[in-house]
Amino acid sequence: MPEPYDVITMGRIGVDIYPLQTGVPLAEVETFGKFLGGSPTNVAVAAARLGCRTAVITRTGRDAFGDYLHQALGEFGVDDRWVGGVAEYPTPVTFCEIFPPDHFPLYFYRQPKAPDLEIRADELDLDAVRAARVFWMTGTGLCAEPSRTATLAALRARSAAVPPPKPGSTTRTTVFDLDWRPMFWDGGDRDSAAPAHYRQALAHATVAVGNLDECEIATGERDPGAAARALLAAGPELAVVKMGPAGVLAVHRDGTTAEIPPLPVDVVNGLGAGDAFGGALCHGLLSGWDTERVMRYANAAGAIVASRLACSSAMPFPAEVELALAEGAVRAPDPTRAGPAAAAAAPGDAP
């Protein structure tokens, strides 16, 4: 069998169409840039930038944008062998508006259905999924069939192959990025089935990551400490709760707790910070670091991306993260910036 991947992610992919002008309503933007997008795909890029061998399981349309995504994955060093084409649906695109430091509306074009929701269980390379050192999936993959069944099949394969991890173990990590996107669910914010599907997935995860809104969907709890405890009770060994401007809280089943403040940064675009956080989280876990060091490193990676315009192409290299940690802030100017206010960057959401 080939050498196991360090990180395999599964789920959303698309093309991000981002304004090259900040502080301008979408209706008035005249110039745009085209970027690889989709949260789990961005996580794979972020981990690859940090030296991990990564791959993504997803689907594109059989169109020019799908061709672009394959090309971009190759350029970022992410294996695209499990990125199939779906003839029936176009490759999704996502637009955003950029109003620093904290307003970044997203406009998803995933109709009539996104190809990444057409991943089927019988198409999965379960041997590779089982063998990966980190497997990363998201809540969006649970929102529709056949993706839901495929995602749960991958999780069950991981659980069946791996004994329960011991405290401090860094091998065979299964991460559930809660990734609550109500617009993708039939019932929207009031979708009654979502919490049950989240509980099914949590039972197979060893790490759960989410902001307060996402934790509330998964557990019914919004207080960070209560949400972390509820996530651990549902199955994972490590709960990571993103608290916005208050930073991040990580609680391990072994009793280890880390509460890390955000890193100061001039925010250009908060979208993508959470994906940089995720890739760095994978890197830290694979490196065997303690919980506090992992969280500080991931926070710094997220802050760096918040200081930049794009998501995938903005993912930092190790030296950049180490510099931000050493300086205690992200100080590098970005020439595309249009006067954003200084803010403390918490890991944000990306398409």
Side-chain angles (χ1 to χ4, degrees), residues 302-329:
I304 290 169
V305 173
S307 76
R308 299 171 175 175
L309 179 66
C311 292
S312 53
S313 60
M315 298 300 170
F317 292 96
E320 295 176 298
V321 182
E322 295 295 345
L323 179 62
L325 287 169
E327 295 191 343

Side-chain angles (χ1 to χ4, degrees), residues 96-109:
C96 77
E97 292 177 305
I98 301 176
F99 294 100
D102 58 4
H103 186 54
F104 309 101
L106 284 168
Y107 303 87
F108 292 97
Y109 291 82

Side-chain angles (χ1 to χ4, degrees), residues 5 17 24 40 50 56 88 111 120 127-128 133 135 137 139 154 162 174 192 194 197 216 225 243 267 271 302 309 347:
Y5 286 86
I17 309 294
V24 179
L50 297 172
V56 61
E88 295 85 352
Q111 292 80 26
R120 299 178 182 276
D127 288 338
R133 298 175 69 196
F135 176 67
M137 47 71 64
V162 183
T174 302
S192 59
H197 296 314
E216 187 173 16
M243 303 183 293
V267 174
L271 303 172
L309 179 66

Side-chain angles (χ1 to χ4, degrees), residues 149-346:
T149 294
T151 301
L152 292 172
L155 290 173
R156 292 187 186 104
R158 295 279 292 181
S159 291
V162 183
K166 298 176 182 178
S169 172
T170 60
T171 60
R172 301 295 195 277
T173 299
T174 302
V175 184
F176 181 8
D177 177 1
L178 301 181
D179 185 43
W180 172 240
R181 304 286 181 173
M183 70 287 289
F184 298 161
W185 292 74
D186 289 341
D189 282 312
R190 300 178 182 275
D191 194 291
S192 59
H197 296 314
Y198 272 57
R199 287 193 295 272
Q200 279 184 283
L202 283 168
H204 300 283
T206 59
V207 179
V209 182
N211 61 32
L212 294 176
D213 290 338
E214 293 164 342
C215 289
E216 187 173 16
I217 291 296
T219 69
E221 299 285 355
R222 192 170 181 84
D223 173 79
R229 291 190 293 273
L231 288 171
L232 295 180
E237 294 288 316
L238 176 65
V240 180
V241 181
K242 301 175 186 178
M243 303 183 293
V248 61
L249 170 68
V251 181
H252 198 283
R253 188 179 297 279
D254 66 8
T256 303
T257 298
E259 188 167 346
I260 308 300
L263 206 64
V265 60
D266 281 354
V267 174
V268 173
N269 185 357
L271 303 172
D275 300 335
F277 181 98
L281 171 67
C282 293
H283 173 68
L285 293 173
L286 289 168
S287 299
W289 298 342
D290 63 64
T291 300
E292 181 172 347
R293 183 180 179 187
V294 172
M295 293 303 118
R296 289 191 183 279
Y297 193 92
N299 247 3
I304 290 169
V305 173
S307 76
R308 299 171 175 175
L309 179 66
C311 292
S312 53
S313 60
M315 298 300 170
F317 292 96
E320 295 176 298
V321 182
E322 295 295 345
L323 179 62
L325 287 169
E327 295 191 343
V330 177
R331 304 189 187 281
D334 189 318
T336 64
R337 192 165 56 198

